[in-house]
Amino acid sequence: MRTQVVIVGGGPSGLLLSQLLLKSGIESIVLERKTKDYVLSRIRAGILEQGMLNLMREAGVGDRMDAEGFVHDGTLIAANNETFRIDFVQRTGTPVMVYGQTEVTRDLYEAREKAGGKIVFNTDGVVIHDAKTDAPYVTYTVDGTEHRIDCDFVAGCDGFHGVSRKTIPDSVRSEYEKIYPFGWLGVLSETPPVDDELIYANSPRGFALCSMRNANLSRYYVQCPLTDHVDDWTDAAFWDELKRRIPEEAADKLITGPTIEKSIAPLRSFVTEPMQWGRLFLCGDAAHIVPPTGAKGLNTAASDIHYLYHALKEHYLEGSDEGIDGYSQKALLRIWKAERFSWWMTNLLHRFPDQSDFDLKMQQAQIAFLRDSDAAQTVMAENYVGLPY
Ligand SMILES: Cc1cc2nc3c(=O)[nH]c(=O)nc-3n(C[C@H](O)[C@H](O)[C@H](O)COP(=O)(O)OP(=O)(O)OC[C@H]3O[C@@H](n4cnc5c(N)ncnc54)[C@H](O)[C@@H]3O)c2cc1C
């Protein structure tokens, strides 16, 4: 087989890129290791920045998102028995949207199928060959049969555990990582959200987040030790712990119910450099991870896709390789800023096992500064709604 761009990974990054390329008449084939149902069942991100919303619209898949997504003009921060609000629209003129990653992925799969886009599921043993030449190719097997696709470019959209990043030799690649000494226990429950907006809570018992997916689907998290197992947490224990960490007023009106999903995610900051090696480009989680505190995971994937899509468009439609050559540098500049924001929010809101009294005082002073300073609120809002592409 031959195509212009082979996309390894059929998560949100890969699907969005393939759909955008189609709009510009550029051919691609997506290789996905799992089944479509498996990808659609992964409960992950839920807050979309304006840049991601615009890309979805540009890809022709924004209608359901615009009809069903919830626009959020601000968010609540709770600490030291008080709650204050950061007004995104007042500070930046821009809101964010609550629309789950599962919905994003569903819309993208539907659009790919409608357009006859080629997605190969259940691929095994993907290998990217000759990425440093003008004629790369990708091999893989499905049901034991080997296949080969020749192409012009390879987009590595295969997440943190994929093969694309590891294709770049160790001698070329630098990795930067911070592992946090706690995780997030998250639940999904078919109950109305406790508030119209998200509540980020810093409590002496640890961080908690009240989030949502829609009017009758809530997503709640509590910080937990990495040694905890999901089975240790009954629903009753989870609700009890959440209520102790959020403001009393919210705890009183919290509607609880059976959880329909429960998982523990470790928190990590990770960046690999460069994000490009010859004709192989890394996008999304394949190149970087953030702790979910700043809601940046899916949104940073989207900014990579924006840069790569425009670079490929310039290559094929305008005969310019400026975007291709500058992809890694451009993408990383924005990624590091998002990494900084996610790291800052994580430090601001969590309890760390080795936190001294001085560290706690610093955390409290930072929260008080955020509460009292217009400038600090603007900085936070600017980062939360997403820095420009
Ligand atoms: C548990 C969890 C919770 C999260 N919660 C949030 C959140 O609340 N907010 C937020 O903003 N972000 C969150 N994130 C991050 C966000 O979901 C990711 O940033 C986003 O999924 C990145 O999309 P992606 O397409 O780059 O990678 P992925 O979604 O990981 O997609 C990669 C795809 O590649 C496939 N693949 C892997 N290896 C191969 C291979 N060798 N060959 C072919 N296919 C392959 C995988 O099956 C997968 O479908 C969370 C992530 C996790 C893991």
Side-chain angles (χ1 to χ4, degrees):
M1 276 187 281
R2 188 181 156 82
T3 191
Q4 289 173 306
V5 183
V6 170
I7 299 174
V8 186
S13 300
L15 294 172
L16 184 58
L17 179 63
S18 66
Q19 187 61 17
L20 285 164
L21 291 176
L22 175 86
K23 291 272 154 192
S24 291
I26 302 166
E27 277 174 23
S28 67
I29 296 177
V30 176
L31 303 179
E32 168 54 51
R33 190 178 52 175
K34 302 282 190 185
T35 62
K36 176 176 149 190
D37 286 346
Y38 182 92
V39 176
L40 286 175
S41 69
R42 286 192 295 227
I43 312 287
R44 291 183 172 180
I47 307 285
L48 308 186
E49 294 175 353
Q50 209 58 41
M52 168 94 193
L53 302 179
N54 290 339
L55 275 181
M56 290 283 285
R57 290 173 191 136
E58 196 177 341
V61 289
D63 289 353
R64 194 164 73 94
M65 174 188 83
D66 282 326
E68 295 178 16
F70 288 78
V71 173
H72 277 203
D73 290 346
T75 194
L76 300 169
I77 311 271
N80 308 318
N81 300 319
E82 62 172 339
T83 304
F84 58 94
R85 180 166 184 268
I86 311 283
D87 190 322
F88 302 145
V89 173
Q90 182 201 346
R91 302 279 168 203
T92 68
T94 311
V96 293
M97 186 183 276
V98 171
Y99 192 65
Q101 181 167 330
T102 42
E103 307 309 312
V104 167
T105 315
R106 185 177 300 281
D107 294 344
L108 285 164
Y109 268 126
E110 258 171 35
R112 293 306 294 136
E113 282 161 8
K114 220 173 183 175
K118 188 141 177 63
I119 305 177
V120 186
F121 291 102
N122 295 314
T123 57
D124 239 343
V126 166
V127 181
I128 300 161
H129 304 264
D130 293 353
K132 276 296 257 185
T133 72
D134 288 348
Y137 64 99
V138 178
T139 55
Y140 60 95
T141 60
V142 176
D143 296 333
T145 306
E146 182 142 348
H147 301 265
R148 167 177 167 149
I149 311 178
D150 292 280
C151 57
D152 300 331
F153 298 100
V154 181
C157 301
D158 48 355
F160 186 64
H161 300 287
V163 294
S164 299
R165 185 174 68 254
K166 292 167 203 148
T167 302
I168 303 178
D170 289 351
S171 57
V172 176
R173 195 161 30 106
S174 300
E175 295 187 344
Y176 304 87
E177 183 171 53
K178 180 173 178 64
I179 307 226
Y180 298 86
F182 41 73
W184 278 18
L185 167 66
V187 308
L188 200 61
S189 78
E190 284 170 330
T191 51
V194 67
D195 197 281
D196 292 343
E197 294 182 339
L198 270 63
I199 305 174
Y200 286 89
N202 172 317
S203 110
R205 299 180 65 89
F207 170 76
L209 171 61
C210 303
S211 185
M212 65 200 71
R213 291 296 179 267
N214 62 45
N216 198 39
L217 193 57
S218 296
R219 184 81 167 141
Y220 295 108
Y221 301 92
V222 293
Q223 171 188 349
C224 68
L226 281 169
T227 44
D228 278 15
H229 293 282
V230 171
D231 302 339
D232 302 339
W233 285 88
T234 61
D235 285 359
F238 178 84
W239 294 122
D240 183 52
E241 189 56 40
L242 179 69
K243 282 182 181 177
R244 287 162 178 243
R245 296 187 188 193
I246 60 177
E248 221 174 285
E249 195 194 334
D252 287 347
K253 62 177 184 180
L254 179 76
I255 298 176
T256 63
T259 63
I260 55 172
E261 196 262 355
K262 204 185 275 161
S263 54
I264 294 181
L267 266 66
R268 180 200 305 265
S269 299
F270 174 88
V271 180
T272 193
E273 291 187 355
M275 285 172 57
Q276 172 181 7
W277 189 59
R279 291 188 162 229
L280 165 66
F281 303 91
L282 303 182
C283 303
D285 279 18
H288 42 77
I289 300 279
V290 285
T293 327
K296 290 283 163 266
L298 183 55
N299 292 304
T300 45
S303 67
D304 294 348
I305 296 305
H306 167 88
Y307 294 129
L308 184 56
Y309 164 55
H310 283 277
L312 291 169
K313 222 166 97 168
E314 280 163 33
H315 171 86
Y316 284 111
L317 307 185
E318 295 162 27
S320 162
D321 276 352
E322 212 175 298
I324 294 282
D325 296 339
Y327 169 74
S328 180
Q329 209 183 356
K330 214 170 186 179
L332 281 167
L333 191 64
R334 191 175 186 281
I335 291 307
W336 276 115
K337 290 178 189 165
E339 289 281 343
R340 185 207 68 81
F341 178 66
S342 307
W343 162 85
W344 172 79
M345 258 192 96
T346 304
N347 281 295
L348 185 77
L349 296 169
H350 290 76
R351 289 295 150 123
F352 287 72
D354 59 352
Q355 219 163 13
S356 67
D357 289 347
F358 180 83
D359 295 335
L360 275 173
K361 284 284 186 192
M362 287 297 98
Q363 203 183 54
Q364 284 165 9
Q366 281 222 55
I367 291 170
F369 183 62
L370 181 62
R371 180 195 59 204
D372 299 337
S373 160
D374 283 349
Q377 291 203 6
T378 303
V379 168
M380 166 162 175
E382 229 179 280
N383 281 277
Y384 197 93
V385 304
L387 297 173
Y389 287 171

